[in-house]
Structures are given as C-alpha cells and as structure tokens.
Amino acid sequence: MTVSAYLILASILFTIGAVTVLVRRNAIIVFMGIELMLNAANLAFLTFSRMWGDLTGQLAAFFVMVVAAAEVVVGLAIIVSLFRTRRTVSVDDENLMRH
Amino acid sequence: MSVLAAPEIHIEWSALAPVLIVLGAAVVATLVEAFVPRQARRLVQVPLALLSVAAAGLVALQLALTASSSTTAAAQGNLAVDPMALYLQLAIAACSLLGLLVIADRTVQGEDAFAPQASAVPASEYEEQVRRAGWTQTDVFPLVLFAVGGMMLFPAATDLITLFVSLEVLSLPLYLLTGMARHRRLLSQEASLKYFLLGALASAFFLFGAAWVYGATGTLNLYVIQISVSSVTGLSPILVVGAVLILVGLLFKVGAVPFHAWTPDVYQGAPTVVTGFMAACTKIAAFGALLRVIYAMVPGLEWSLEPVLWTVAILTMVVGTVVGLVQKDVKRLLAYSAIAHAGFILVGVTAYSLEGLSGSLFYLFTYGISTVGAFGVLSLVREVDSDGHMRGEATGLDQWRGLGRRSPLLAGCFAIFLLSFAGIPLTSGFVAKFAVFGAAFGSGAAALGIVGLACSAAAAFFYARVIQVMFFDSPPDEEVRLTTVGPGIGVRTLGFTQIAIAVSLALTLVLGIVPGWFLSFTEELSSLLMLTR
C-alpha cells in the first residue's frame, strides 16, 4: 500500500465526520462526527510520520488522543446537563436565540 | 545492552514564569475546591485568582522590559519568549485581571453571576434547595485560571501541536463557563452546547490542517515551516490546503465571518461577566496566534493566502456592521460589534508590515480593555421581578430607555466605551483604528482601508443609537422603570465591578488622549520582531 492510500482514507474519514456534523441532528452523533474528524487527522499524522521517518507525527497523535479525551469529558457534561433540562439532545430544538 | 539515556531537556523556567504562575495557581485552586470547607472557599479563591494573574502580569512586564531583540525559544523550541508573546501575555493578564474583578463581584445579598450548582436541573427542587442554602459555585475560579493559562500560551506557541493543546486548554474551560449562568439557564446551556460543538469542529479543522502542513514540510515547528515554505519553488497543494485549514481554525476563535455563527449566541447566552472576560482575552490570544502563524506562512504562500485573508477581512467588517445595525439586544449588539472589530484588526494583520503589526497589537490591548469595561456596565443593569428579587441582566434595548437620566454615571461610562468602539477621537478606539487603517493604506491595501473606514462610519450609527436610547429617548413607562434597575437605583454590589469599569475607562481615555508613548512601545516591539525575521 502506498502512502496516498492512507491519505485518501484519512480524507474520506474527515469528510464523513464533517458531513455528520452538518446533517445529523442528535448532539451525541454530531459529537461523534467531530471525534471521527480528529481521528482522521491522527491517521494523517501517522502516515506522514511514516513517510518522513520522523517521530513527531506519532507524538502529535498521542497529544490529540489526550486532548480528545478531555474534550469528551467536557462535551458529555454539557450534553447531559442539557438533556436533563430539556429531555432532548436534538440540535434543532436549540433555538431560543434568534437573530 | 544499551541503557536508554533520556536526552537532556532544557526548559527556561524563568522565561515561562507568567504561564507557570497562572497554571500553578489553577491547580492549587482545584485543590482548594476539594479540601477547603464550602463557606471559606470563596475567601480563598478570589484573592488566589486575582493575585496570581496580577503576579503573572508583573512578571511578563518585567520580562518584556528586559527582553533583548532576539527571539528566545523556550521549552525545546515549542514556545517563543519574544517581545510579542510577552506583550500579549501582559495584555491578557491585564484584561483578565479586570475580567476577574467583574466575575468575583456579587450583590450585597450574596448572589454572584453563576448558578449555585451548574449540575442542578433548572427550576428543580434540588436547585431551589441549593439556592436557599446560599451555595455559590467557586469552581469558576480554577476554570478561569486554566483558561487564562491557555490564553497566555496560545500567542507564544511556535509549534502546531503546542498551539493545538493551548487552544484546547483555553477553550474547554470557556465552554463550561458559558453554561453556568445563574439566570436564564436554558439560554446559557444552549449557548454552551453551540460553542462546544462549533469550537470542537473548528479545532478539528485546525488539526487536520496541521497534519497536512506536517506532511508537506516534515515539521510542526513554525520557524522551520517558515524556512521550508519560502525555499519551495513550486507550491505544494498539500501545503496550501493545510495552511488554509489552520487559518479556518484560528479565524473561528477570532470570530471572523464566515466562521462567526457562534459569536452572537454565545455572547448572549453566557453569563455577562464571562462574556466580557471571554470577548476581551480570547480575541487577544487568538489574534496573537493568528499573527504568529500568518507571519510564518505568508512569506511563502502570499499569492494563495492573501486573497483568503482579504475576503475574510472584508466580509467580517461588512457582516458585523450590517447585521449589528438591526439588533434589539445590547449583548447581541456588542457581539456583532466584536465581529466588526475582528475585521478591523484583520486589516492591520493583513497589511503585513511593521505599522500593521504595531497597530494590531495596540488595537488588541485597547479593544480588550474597553470590552471588559462595557460588559461590566452591562452586568450591573438588572431586571427585578414583582417580588423585588434580582433577575438576570436587562439587555433589551427598550429596557435601556432613559437609563442616562436614572443612572447618569453608569450610562456615561457606557457611552464612552461605545464612543471608543465607534472610533471617536479622544478615545483609544480612534487611535487604534487610525493605526490599522493607516497601515493598510501605507502597505498598498487601500481597498481594505476604504472598506474599513466605510464600515466604521456605518457602525458609528448603532453605537450612537444606544447612546440616543439611553440619554434622549423618553423616560421609560412605569413598568420598565420598576423592572429595570442599575447601581444607585436598586443594584448594590461589593463594588469590584465598579473598580474594573473605572480602570478600563481611565485606560480608554488615557490611551485616547496621550497614545504616543504606548504606540511607540508597540512600534518598538514590532521592530524587534521584524528584525528577527
């Protein structure tokens, strides 16, 4: 397998994640889309790391994993508290503020 | 068998002191939450937070005054301790000190701006119990300190991963703080969710961009990227895509159009005291990082990135101004004003010259200071219900009618902040606008300067409208008079907010009337920076 195959896979994953964020209505699913985008970035980091024969990219992937975990903590706290208030996590129902 | 010897790691502790003080205090504040009894927490947290930020600011000032011309790389080249980083750290410390004063303030009845328990379901039995028990949420102080620490790292980071980590360190606490308002909790939680989802999306873009830049250059260090970008003859599309994605992530934090959708909702939904802190400090930190990234990448990618930056700057100024004109809510109005200002600062950034850099640095500081003051005023104008209980902030423009006659001092302060935002002479906003637009005309970006001038002229209308509503509209009818109160007409606080307003008012006027010394300071910093490139 060539490097470009992995890069294309990373791009496809990133696109799927971005589309999920744009079209899905459930906050949890939207959040999963974001996580998918982060993992796509990780895959790209690892591929380039291998390509350059340089460890920096692998190091970056570890940092991203830790940060993503922290993000999950904060994100789920926000989503859960919102769910307990409203009994829904649909992002379409979040429309109290309008222009 | 060889023993794995760890390579010598050299960290310049003294040069990193401002950040370390704040983050250390944040850790201590977290421990305070765990071990100090509930009644005593506030007494410990408030001085701890104020003192640590003040100390960090003083250390940054000391380092800035003794800084030599050369860029000092610290922490294995991951952070720059150069004049720009120190200046921005000083500005962030100053603004967050004022912001913390506003955050720490509470009414004489002991109610601060935050929900007694953010985890309690709004309007539930538990929330009522907690409210009656008089609990206060002191977790806000460690959260603010972590955010300040991240903000101080952000403009100093010279490595894309350090940049990403500090972006998250500053963002995650802000997402939580946004959702912790005492009043209008649904709005606050909604703002928190929107901010979180969009912020996480933007950081994913940033990260993916960083991965592609790494792929194109083989390094994450901005200085090495700068060298390899300018030595490449044919432009690699991978590099351009990566650079644009990184800019998307940073422009989101700045609140530039078309990545501004979160700004009005988050500014409106967040507790007003947090909005002030966030609006001022995030803008300074994010523009600092943006400056660093742009100055590293643009020399090599001028033809690809300049059209993007120009478009974003023009769109940001126009959209911020035009949509701001029709706002009926003072908080939302200030949010659109913040978007327009992001556009004005982008003009200075895009000018890509010594004057542009110095103008942007000046603009960031003065805008931050005035913003904290303006939101401080906003946090003092409150609603009361029929039983005389204090409610949330009265942010409807209708409710502000005649405020100038009922509470002249407060309305006068707000008017001066608005005049500064509008860029009227004798306020710091005028000098700042003059500096960035002058830089745009001087560096051949006259089109940007003209759009900027037109937009500031149009924006002056909506600031003037608020002033007109406050001072010249007919006094409010009995209903509004009873339900909208301010200092001197019902709101009594510990006075921290008033101190913050007074300080930022003084700075706004001083930097407007005698700006020369400060301008030459930022010019000197910028020339030091330009020399090292």
Side-chain angles (χ1 to χ4, degrees), chain A residues 21 27-35 38 67-80 82 91, chain B residues 168 171-179 188-204 252-253 262 266 278:
Chain A
V21 173
I28 303 264
I29 307 275
V30 170
F31 190 28
M32 279 168 60
I34 293 169
E35 293 294 313
L38 291 181
V67 168
E71 217 170 61
V72 169
V73 173
V74 169
L76 286 185
I78 291 171
I79 294 172
V80 166
L82 201 82
V91 286
Chain B
E168 293 294 323
S171 300
L172 293 179
L174 286 180
Y175 302 149
L176 290 175
L177 285 167
T178 302
S188 173
Q189 290 185 342
E190 176 179 324
S192 176
L193 181 75
K194 283 180 176 167
Y195 194 14
F196 170 73
L197 288 178
L198 293 173
L201 182 69
S203 45
F252 171 88
K253 272 287 145 203
W262 61 278
V266 172
M278 174 168 86

Side-chain angles (χ1 to χ4, degrees), chain A residues 11 14 31 34 48-49 51-52 54 57 60 64 67 71 75 78 82 84-86 94 96-99, chain B residues 119 122 161 164 168 186-187 189-190 192-194 196-197 201 207-208 211-212 214-215 218 265 268 332 336:
Chain A
S11 304
F14 189 82
F31 190 28
I34 293 169
F48 286 128
S49 177
M51 187 182 95
W52 286 102
D54 172 47
V64 175
V67 168
E71 217 170 61
I78 291 171
L82 201 82
R84 296 206 305 176
T85 309
R86 300 199 179 178
E94 309 299 327
L96 290 177
M97 288 177 282
R98 283 284 162 87
H99 293 289
Chain B
S119 56
I161 281 301
F164 174 69
E168 293 294 323
L186 289 188
L187 230 67
Q189 290 185 342
E190 176 179 324
S192 176
L193 181 75
K194 283 180 176 167
F196 170 73
L197 288 178
L201 182 69
L207 198 67
F208 203 58
W212 289 99
Y214 173 64
D265 286 355
Q268 189 189 357
R332 278 186 98 80
Y336 280 102

Side-chain angles (χ1 to χ4, degrees), chain B residues 91-248:
Chain B
I92 290 165
C95 289
S96 48
L97 191 63
L98 296 179
L100 265 170
L101 278 174
V102 181
I103 287 172
D105 202 5
R106 58 176 181 180
T107 60
V108 284
Q109 291 87 10
E111 286 197 356
D112 58 13
F114 300 96
Q117 280 280 291
S119 56
V121 177
S124 65
E125 178 67 18
Y126 176 52
E127 193 195 34
E128 187 54 29
Q129 280 175 7
V130 173
R131 200 184 59 74
R132 250 183 280 126
W135 287 11
T136 49
Q137 185 109 29
T138 44
D139 306 287
V140 292
F141 295 102
L143 286 174
V144 168
L145 286 177
F146 275 119
V148 173
M151 287 163 181
M152 286 180 154
L153 276 176
F154 204 34
T158 54
D159 178 283
L160 288 175
I161 281 301
T162 316
L163 213 55
F164 174 69
V165 172
S166 45
L167 172 70
E168 293 294 323
V169 171
L170 88 86
S171 300
L172 293 179
L174 286 180
Y175 302 149
L176 290 175
L177 285 167
T178 302
M180 290 167 90
R182 178 181 281 268
H183 305 287
R184 303 205 186 95
R185 291 193 56 195
L186 289 188
L187 230 67
S188 173
Q189 290 185 342
E190 176 179 324
S192 176
L193 181 75
K194 283 180 176 167
Y195 194 14
F196 170 73
L197 288 178
L198 293 173
L201 182 69
S203 45
F205 274 105
F206 176 89
L207 198 67
F208 203 58
W212 289 99
V213 169
Y214 173 64
T217 59
T219 175
L220 286 166
N221 190 297
L222 283 177
Y223 292 122
V224 187
I225 290 173
Q226 183 180 14
I227 294 164
S228 60
V229 165
S230 46
S231 64
V232 176
T233 42
L235 275 184
S236 142
I238 291 182
L239 184 63
V240 177
V241 169
V244 170
L245 286 175
I246 287 178
L247 285 184
V248 168

